[in-house]
Amino acid sequence: MECAAKGSGTRCSAVATTLCARCEAVAYCSLSHRIAHWNHHKHECDRLQQQMESVEELNDFPFTSSHEATFQICAKQETRCSFLTKRGLHRVGIWMLECHCETSSASFDLLRSNNCWNLPSVLCPCRGPDSLVSEQLCSWRDYYNWRGIPLDSPIALLLHWPLTIYHAAQLVGITTLNLDVSDKLYIHYLGPEKELLQLAVFGELLALFPGVHIHIDLVGPAIHSQRDGEKIGISKYPCCNEANCVCKLVTENVSITSALTLQLWRGFYHDRYKDIVKDSFPHLIIAPNGGIAAYSSWLPSIELIGKIDVPAVFTDYCEEACHLAASCIKTVTGRPLRLPVQLNPFRQPIAVEDSVLLLPCYSNCFLFGI
């Protein structure tokens, strides 16, 4: 962990192990750096202290591996690599980017064509659900029970992408009950990165929005220029690793009434918006792990979103990042949040390693909206 005062003056002298005595959310390389940084830190200390009181809630997941994936990773007793290795998923297919060691060698073409969970059928949703969603899913336990999957399955590590879309839609009032099945559900998805190499898991939206035709425009600078404008149709769920499973039969794995189309757009949302809305005016805008406060390139996009007045939901790795983002948004739009900062029940249930704060951080951890 880096010293919280790094870059603010004198050179750091050691590993950051000296905690702020009040919030215990930030660390310093020395007592002198902690004292020197106080004039800056004092404006956030009380807020971080309150956030630290929610650590148990942040780490609360129903899975059998939760202690290993949360506390032990935060305490550096385990790593994401070791977690995946124990389950035979390290450096495998669509799991490849869930640790840092494969980022540079991952191939878009290879992973885009890999639609396999690399898990036995009992541990993954390789087929359609036995029943339609009868009531709103509010937790990972709800989802696993509905899909009939045991709580020792690691699939939530990837399914947090589509489940966060589902939850965001529910929060702004978009449900299968008020969707006209003769029309498409249009979603603008901003700033995708590693999920571009995990597109197969978005097929779960076919189960979450039965009978609905969904079109998602993924917009961001991480999209390769050769992929700009490419359309990808998804009509099935990722397969399991059992050769004789019915998920391998096209007739069993294709949704007759639902359809999902993804289209890739390279660039920033405010630059590509006019091109996109020629065919796709959004019902929902979502920006997972946006980092709004960290990148000035978000400001013109936030201004645009404020003008078109479409429900927009943003997520980030921790509550503090959302707080800073909310301040930026209020400055740009002049309006408070429509959807207050809140914990995402479908956050990824494995801690982010080497986070800036001592607060536990998770992908898609908190969300808020305008």
Side-chain angles (χ1 to χ4, degrees), residues 79 82 99 203 229 327 343:
T79 66
S82 65
C99 61
S327 297
L343 190 63

Side-chain angles (χ1 to χ4, degrees), residues 29-217:
C29 65
S30 63
L31 179 60
S32 62
H33 267 203
R34 191 181 83 180
I35 295 172
H37 193 244
W38 175 247
N39 281 339
H40 171 80
H41 179 60
K42 65 183 180 182
H43 301 293
E44 63 185 11
C45 188
D46 288 343
R47 188 171 65 245
L48 290 175
Q49 185 177 18
Q50 291 180 348
Q51 294 173 21
M52 286 292 285
E53 294 173 357
S54 302
V55 166
E56 288 189 10
E57 184 180 8
L58 289 179
N59 290 337
D60 184 21
F61 295 99
F63 307 113
T64 56
S65 60
S66 292
H67 183 73
E68 178 187 358
T70 59
F71 174 80
Q72 290 185 352
I73 286 182
C74 290
K76 299 188 182 301
Q77 297 171 0
E78 290 283 354
T79 66
R80 293 172 75 96
C81 289
S82 65
F83 183 92
L84 294 168
T85 297
K86 291 176 182 178
R87 291 154 181 84
L89 300 172
H90 186 234
R91 303 171 68 177
V92 173
I94 56 177
W95 300 89
M96 200 172 286
L97 293 189
E98 289 310 310
C99 61
H100 300 300
C101 63
E102 278 294 337
T103 302
S104 61
S105 62
S107 162
F108 186 95
D109 287 321
L110 174 63
L111 296 180
R112 188 173 68 114
S113 62
N114 187 338
N115 63 352
C116 180
W117 281 111
N118 299 105
L119 291 167
S121 61
V122 70
L123 295 181
C124 62
C126 61
R127 293 172 287 172
D130 293 333
S131 61
L132 299 180
V133 179
S134 59
E135 56 187 37
Q136 183 175 339
L137 303 175
C138 297
S139 68
W140 279 121
R141 188 180 295 275
D142 287 348
Y143 172 78
Y144 272 56
N145 286 340
W146 169 57
R147 278 306 228 150
I149 297 170
L151 291 174
D152 60 342
S153 169
I155 58 164
L157 270 65
L158 299 182
L159 284 176
H160 70 107
W161 300 119
L163 266 295
T164 294
I165 292 177
Y166 165 83
H167 185 62
Q170 300 286 317
L171 288 175
V172 302
I174 299 174
T175 70
T176 53
L177 297 177
N178 59 27
L179 284 171
D180 185 345
V181 296
S182 65
D183 295 328
K184 282 186 177 179
L185 170 60
Y186 289 101
I187 299 172
H188 289 181
Y189 189 108
L190 313 188
E193 293 183 348
K194 73 176 183 180
E195 60 266 47
L196 291 169
L197 304 177
Q198 300 171 336
L199 293 179
V201 303
F202 285 83
E204 187 62 11
L205 292 171
L206 299 170
L208 294 165
F209 294 94
V212 178
H213 291 245
I214 306 170
H215 179 85
I216 303 178
D217 290 291

Side-chain angles (χ1 to χ4, degrees), residues 294-344:
Y295 302 101
S296 59
S297 56
W298 271 112
L299 299 182
S301 290
I302 296 298
E303 185 177 7
L304 170 63
I305 293 169
K307 289 179 179 178
I308 63 177
D309 199 30
V310 168
V313 176
F314 305 84
T315 78
D316 222 314
Y317 291 95
C318 67
E319 187 175 0
E320 180 63 9
C322 292
H323 171 82
L324 297 174
S327 297
C328 292
I329 288 173
K330 187 174 181 180
T331 300
V332 173
T333 64
R335 300 196 301 266
L337 298 177
R338 291 181 180 177
L339 188 67
V341 176
Q342 57 193 273
L343 190 63
N344 178 13

